[in-house]
């Protein structure tokens, strides 16, 4: 493991000027504002912050549910993609497909957040982008010129934050900050943590057991944190190690109900189980959906697992 090249595994190249070339990105996907045969959703892109070059992609089902001939209001889901804070995009083909399924099957208004990536923008940059996205949703409720899909079809009292991998980490930190803000009429009704990414200097049992994991071997996990955390810090920083004492712990009780999903062959599985215990001990209503088999990101490569997670998330939201 000592000669393992984590950067080569990730497909990133350090240009030496604080920027990285990413050679293994998923292809991008175009938004489709108008219905397309065979596609159950429409989607559009809006700018979140022009200076930060952050965007949102909004999805809504083509067929809108109705009650007594009145279009029913749909839950609003803010979705944060995975990629270890360093890779991928909220506008790529993998995220686009996931959001399409969420929007059509739940059904819901889904907003994919294309946040800033590390190491060009280290933590807490993406947390700030997430909070800005939440406040953007709030703004649409009061703005006469607000985004019509949100205003006309979204239920501001049923907003959910959903993150996979490091996206789950973003959900945690953004939710803690958001709970301190005046969000009305927006209400964050729940948080979805799909294989969330947490860490710490002390190794856990599953980190040791799956140190040579094909997707996320320990040197790769360590490299992702080194690229993402504030310079001069280590994996016991509160952004990574949420289990250490700190001001964030006093805020845990403010969190809404939570869903945590994990798979037993994930090196981070022990930390995900500890996360559930941390939430429960602080009075948070938490539902754990753990599978002893399956590896990190199995839902991306195994359609059956992906559909199973979709059903779990749907049951949690509706």
């Amino acid at each position: 493991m000592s000669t393992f090249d984590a950067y080569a595994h990730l497909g990133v190249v350090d240009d030496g000027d604080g920027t990285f070339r990413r050679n293994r990105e998923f292809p991008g996907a175009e938004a489709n504002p108008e219905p397309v045969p065979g596609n159950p959703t429409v989607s559009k892109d809006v700018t979140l912050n022009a200076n930060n070059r952050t965007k949102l992609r909004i999805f809504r089902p083509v067929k809108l549910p109705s009650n007594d001939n009145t279009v029913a209001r749909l839950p609003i889901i803010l979705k944060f993609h995975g990629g270890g804070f360093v890779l991928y995009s909220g506008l790529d083909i993998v995220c686009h497909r996931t959001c399409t399924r969420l929007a059509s099957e739940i059904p819901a208004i889904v907003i994919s957040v294309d946040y800033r990536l590390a190491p060009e923008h280290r933590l807490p940059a993406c947390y700030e982008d997430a909070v800005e996205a939440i406040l953007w949703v709030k703004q649409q409720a009061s703005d006469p010129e607000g985004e019509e899909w949100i205003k006309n079809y979204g239920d501001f009292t049923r907003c959910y934050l959903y993150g996979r991998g490091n996206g789950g980490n973003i959900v945690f930190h953004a939710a803690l900050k958001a709970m301190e803000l005046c969000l009305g009429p927006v209400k964050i009704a729940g948080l979805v943590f799909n294989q969330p990414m947490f860490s710490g200097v002390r190794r856990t049992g599953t980190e040791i057991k799956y140190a040579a994991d094909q997707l996320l071997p320990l040197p790769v996990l360590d490299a992702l944190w080194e690229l993402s955390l504030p310079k001069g810090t280590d994996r016991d920083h509160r952004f990574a190690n949420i289990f250490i004492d700190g001001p964030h712990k006093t805020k845990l009780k403010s969190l809404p109900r939570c869903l945590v999903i994990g798979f037993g062959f994930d090196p981070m599985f022990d930390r995900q189980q500890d996360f559930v215990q941390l939430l429960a001990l602080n009075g948070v209503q938490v539902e754990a959906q753990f599978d002893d088999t399956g590896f990190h990101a199995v839902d991306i490569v195994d359609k059956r697992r992906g559909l199973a997670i979709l059903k779990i998330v749907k049951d949690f939201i509706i």
Side-chain angles (χ1 to χ4, degrees), residues 141-179:
S142 58
D143 186 352
E145 303 299 321
E147 167 52 49
E148 61 180 7
W149 288 2
I150 307 292
K151 288 179 67 73
N152 295 343
Y153 308 120
D155 184 346
F156 291 98
T157 68
R158 289 192 295 155
C159 289
Y160 292 82
L161 309 185
Y162 179 160
R164 188 182 66 77
N166 74 282
N169 179 292
I170 294 172
V171 164
F172 177 77
H173 289 286
L176 287 179
K177 178 61 177 178
M179 292 303 160

Coordinates of all heavy atoms in Angstrom, one line a residue, residues 141-179:
A141 N -40.2 31.6 -2.7 CA -41.6 31.6 -2.2 C -42.1 33.1 -2.1 O -43.3 33.3 -2.3 CB -41.6 31.0 -0.7
S142 N -41.2 34.0 -1.9 CA -41.6 35.4 -1.7 C -41.4 36.3 -3.0 O -41.9 37.4 -3.1 CB -40.9 36.0 -0.5 OG -39.5 36.0 -0.7
D143 N -40.6 35.8 -3.9 CA -40.3 36.6 -5.1 C -41.4 36.5 -6.1 O -41.7 35.4 -6.6 CB -39.0 36.1 -5.7 CG -38.5 36.9 -6.8 OD1 -39.2 37.8 -7.3 OD2 -37.3 36.7 -7.3
P144 N -42.0 37.6 -6.5 CA -43.1 37.5 -7.5 C -42.6 37.0 -8.9 O -43.4 36.4 -9.6 CB -43.6 39.0 -7.7 CG -43.2 39.6 -6.4 CD -41.9 38.9 -6.0
E145 N -41.3 37.1 -9.1 CA -40.7 36.6 -10.3 C -39.9 35.3 -10.0 O -39.0 34.9 -10.8 CB -39.7 37.7 -10.9 CG -40.4 39.0 -11.2 CD -41.5 38.9 -12.2 OE1 -41.3 38.1 -13.2 OE2 -42.5 39.5 -12.1
G146 N -40.2 34.6 -9.0 CA -39.5 33.4 -8.6 C -39.7 32.3 -9.6 O -40.6 32.3 -10.4
E147 N -38.8 31.3 -9.5 CA -38.9 30.2 -10.3 C -40.2 29.5 -10.3 O -40.7 29.0 -9.3 CB -37.7 29.2 -10.0 CG -37.8 27.8 -10.6 CD -37.9 27.9 -12.1 OE1 -37.2 28.6 -12.7 OE2 -38.9 27.2 -12.6
E148 N -40.9 29.4 -11.5 CA -42.3 29.0 -11.5 C -42.5 27.5 -11.1 O -43.5 27.2 -10.5 CB -42.9 29.3 -12.9 CG -42.2 28.5 -14.0 CD -42.8 28.8 -15.4 OE1 -43.7 29.7 -15.4 OE2 -42.4 28.2 -16.3
W149 N -41.5 26.7 -11.5 CA -41.7 25.2 -11.1 C -41.7 25.1 -9.6 O -42.4 24.3 -9.0 CB -40.6 24.4 -11.7 CG -40.7 24.2 -13.2 CD1 -41.7 24.7 -14.0 CD2 -39.8 23.4 -14.0 NE1 -41.4 24.4 -15.3 CE2 -40.3 23.5 -15.3 CE3 -38.7 22.7 -13.7 CZ2 -39.7 22.9 -16.4 CZ3 -38.1 22.0 -14.8 CH2 -38.5 22.2 -16.1
I150 N -40.9 25.9 -8.9 CA -40.9 25.8 -7.4 C -42.1 26.5 -6.9 O -42.8 25.9 -6.0 CB -39.6 26.6 -6.9 CG1 -38.3 26.0 -7.6 CG2 -39.5 26.4 -5.4 CD1 -38.0 24.6 -7.2
K151 N -42.5 27.7 -7.3 CA -43.6 28.4 -6.8 C -44.9 27.7 -7.1 O -45.8 27.6 -6.2 CB -43.7 29.8 -7.4 CG -42.6 30.7 -6.9 CD -42.7 32.1 -7.6 CE -44.0 32.8 -7.2 NZ -43.8 33.3 -5.8
N152 N -45.1 27.1 -8.3 CA -46.4 26.6 -8.7 C -46.6 25.1 -8.2 O -47.7 24.7 -8.0 CB -46.5 26.6 -10.2 CG -46.6 28.1 -10.7 OD1 -46.8 29.0 -9.9 ND2 -46.3 28.2 -12.0
Y153 N -45.5 24.4 -8.0 CA -45.7 23.0 -7.8 C -45.0 22.5 -6.5 O -45.3 21.4 -6.0 CB -45.1 22.1 -9.0 CG -45.7 22.6 -10.3 CD1 -44.9 23.0 -11.3 CD2 -47.1 22.5 -10.5 CE1 -45.4 23.4 -12.5 CE2 -47.6 22.9 -11.7 CZ -46.8 23.4 -12.7 OH -47.3 23.8 -13.9
G154 N -44.1 23.3 -5.9 CA -43.4 22.8 -4.7 C -44.1 23.1 -3.4 O -44.8 24.1 -3.3
D155 N -43.9 22.2 -2.5 CA -44.5 22.3 -1.1 C -43.3 22.8 -0.2 O -42.4 22.0 0.1 CB -45.0 21.0 -0.6 CG -45.7 21.1 0.7 OD1 -45.5 22.1 1.4 OD2 -46.4 20.2 1.1
F156 N -43.3 24.1 0.1 CA -42.2 24.6 0.9 C -42.1 24.1 2.3 O -41.1 24.2 3.0 CB -42.3 26.2 0.9 CG -42.1 26.8 -0.4 CD1 -43.1 27.2 -1.2 CD2 -40.8 27.1 -0.9 CE1 -42.9 27.8 -2.5 CE2 -40.6 27.6 -2.1 CZ -41.6 28.0 -2.9
T157 N -43.2 23.5 2.8 CA -43.2 22.9 4.1 C -42.7 21.5 4.1 O -42.5 20.9 5.2 CB -44.6 22.9 4.7 OG1 -45.4 22.0 4.0 CG2 -45.2 24.3 4.7
R158 N -42.3 21.0 3.0 CA -41.8 19.6 2.9 C -40.5 19.6 2.0 O -40.5 19.1 0.9 CB -42.8 18.6 2.2 CG -44.0 18.3 3.1 CD -44.8 17.1 2.6 NE -45.4 17.4 1.3 CZ -45.7 16.5 0.4 NH1 -45.4 15.2 0.6 NH2 -46.3 16.9 -0.8
C159 N -39.5 20.2 2.6 CA -38.2 20.3 1.9 C -37.3 19.2 2.5 O -37.2 19.0 3.8 CB -37.5 21.6 2.0 SG -38.4 22.9 1.1
Y160 N -36.5 18.5 1.7 CA -35.6 17.5 2.2 C -34.2 17.7 1.6 O -34.1 18.2 0.4 CB -36.1 16.1 1.7 CG -37.4 15.7 2.4 CD1 -38.6 16.1 1.9 CD2 -37.3 14.8 3.5 CE1 -39.8 15.7 2.5 CE2 -38.5 14.4 4.1 CZ -39.7 14.9 3.6 OH -40.9 14.5 4.2
L161 N -33.2 17.4 2.4 CA -31.8 17.4 1.9 C -31.4 16.0 1.7 O -31.5 15.2 2.6 CB -30.9 18.2 2.9 CG -31.4 19.6 3.4 CD1 -30.3 20.2 4.3 CD2 -31.7 20.5 2.2
Y162 N -30.8 15.7 0.6 CA -30.4 14.3 0.2 C -29.0 14.4 -0.3 O -28.7 15.1 -1.3 CB -31.4 13.8 -0.8 CG -31.1 12.3 -1.3 CD1 -32.1 11.6 -1.9 CD2 -29.8 11.7 -1.2 CE1 -31.9 10.3 -2.4 CE2 -29.6 10.5 -1.7 CZ -30.6 9.8 -2.3 OH -30.4 8.5 -2.7
G163 N -28.1 13.6 0.3 CA -26.7 13.5 -0.1 C -26.2 12.1 -0.1 O -26.5 11.3 0.7
R164 N -25.4 11.8 -1.2 CA -24.7 10.5 -1.2 C -23.2 10.7 -1.0 O -22.6 11.6 -1.6 CB -25.0 9.8 -2.6 CG -24.5 8.3 -2.6 CD -24.7 7.7 -3.9 NE -23.9 8.3 -5.0 CZ -22.6 8.1 -5.1 NH1 -21.9 7.3 -4.3 NH2 -21.9 8.6 -6.1
G165 N -22.6 9.8 -0.2 CA -21.2 9.9 0.0 C -20.8 11.2 0.7 O -21.4 11.6 1.7
N166 N -19.9 12.0 0.1 CA -19.6 13.3 0.7 C -20.8 14.2 0.7 O -20.9 15.2 1.5 CB -18.4 13.9 0.0 CG -18.8 14.5 -1.4 OD1 -18.9 13.7 -2.3 ND2 -19.0 15.8 -1.5
G167 N -21.7 13.9 -0.2 CA -23.0 14.7 -0.2 C -23.7 14.6 1.1 O -24.4 15.5 1.5
G168 N -23.6 13.4 1.7 CA -24.2 13.2 3.0 C -23.6 14.1 4.1 O -24.2 14.6 5.0
N169 N -22.2 14.2 4.0 CA -21.5 15.1 4.9 C -22.0 16.5 4.7 O -22.1 17.3 5.7 CB -20.0 14.9 4.6 CG -19.1 15.8 5.4 OD1 -19.1 17.0 5.3 ND2 -18.3 15.2 6.3
I170 N -22.2 16.9 3.4 CA -22.6 18.3 3.1 C -24.0 18.5 3.8 O -24.3 19.5 4.4 CB -22.7 18.5 1.6 CG1 -21.3 18.5 1.0 CG2 -23.4 19.9 1.3 CD1 -21.3 18.6 -0.5
V171 N -24.9 17.5 3.6 CA -26.2 17.6 4.2 C -26.2 17.9 5.7 O -26.9 18.7 6.3 CB -27.1 16.4 3.9 CG1 -28.3 16.3 4.8 CG2 -27.5 16.3 2.4
F172 N -25.3 17.1 6.4 CA -25.2 17.2 7.8 C -24.8 18.7 8.2 O -25.4 19.3 9.1 CB -24.1 16.2 8.4 CG -23.9 16.3 9.8 CD1 -24.8 15.8 10.8 CD2 -22.7 17.0 10.3 CE1 -24.5 15.9 12.1 CE2 -22.5 17.1 11.7 CZ -23.4 16.5 12.6
H173 N -23.7 19.2 7.7 CA -23.2 20.5 8.1 C -24.1 21.6 7.6 O -24.3 22.6 8.3 CB -21.7 20.6 7.6 CG -20.7 19.8 8.3 ND1 -20.3 20.1 9.5 CD2 -20.1 18.6 7.9 CE1 -19.4 19.1 9.9 NE2 -19.3 18.3 8.9
A174 N -24.7 21.5 6.4 CA -25.6 22.5 5.9 C -26.8 22.6 6.8 O -27.4 23.6 7.0 CB -25.9 22.3 4.5
A175 N -27.3 21.4 7.2 CA -28.6 21.4 8.0 C -28.3 22.0 9.3 O -29.2 22.8 9.8 CB -29.0 19.9 8.2
L176 N -27.2 21.8 10.0 CA -26.9 22.4 11.2 C -26.9 23.9 11.1 O -27.4 24.6 12.0 CB -25.5 21.9 11.8 CG -25.4 20.5 12.3 CD1 -24.0 20.2 12.8 CD2 -26.4 20.2 13.4
K177 N -26.3 24.4 10.0 CA -26.3 25.9 9.8 C -27.7 26.4 9.5 O -28.1 27.4 10.0 CB -25.3 26.2 8.7 CG -25.3 27.7 8.4 CD -24.8 28.5 9.5 CE -24.7 30.0 9.2 NZ -24.3 30.8 10.3
A178 N -28.4 25.7 8.7 CA -29.7 26.1 8.2 C -30.7 26.2 9.4 O -31.6 27.1 9.4 CB -30.3 25.2 7.2
M179 N -30.6 25.3 10.4 CA -31.5 25.3 11.5 C -31.3 26.6 12.4 O -32.2 26.8 13.2 CB -31.2 24.0 12.4 CG -31.7 22.8 11.7 SD -33.4 22.8 11.2 CE -33.4 21.5 9.9

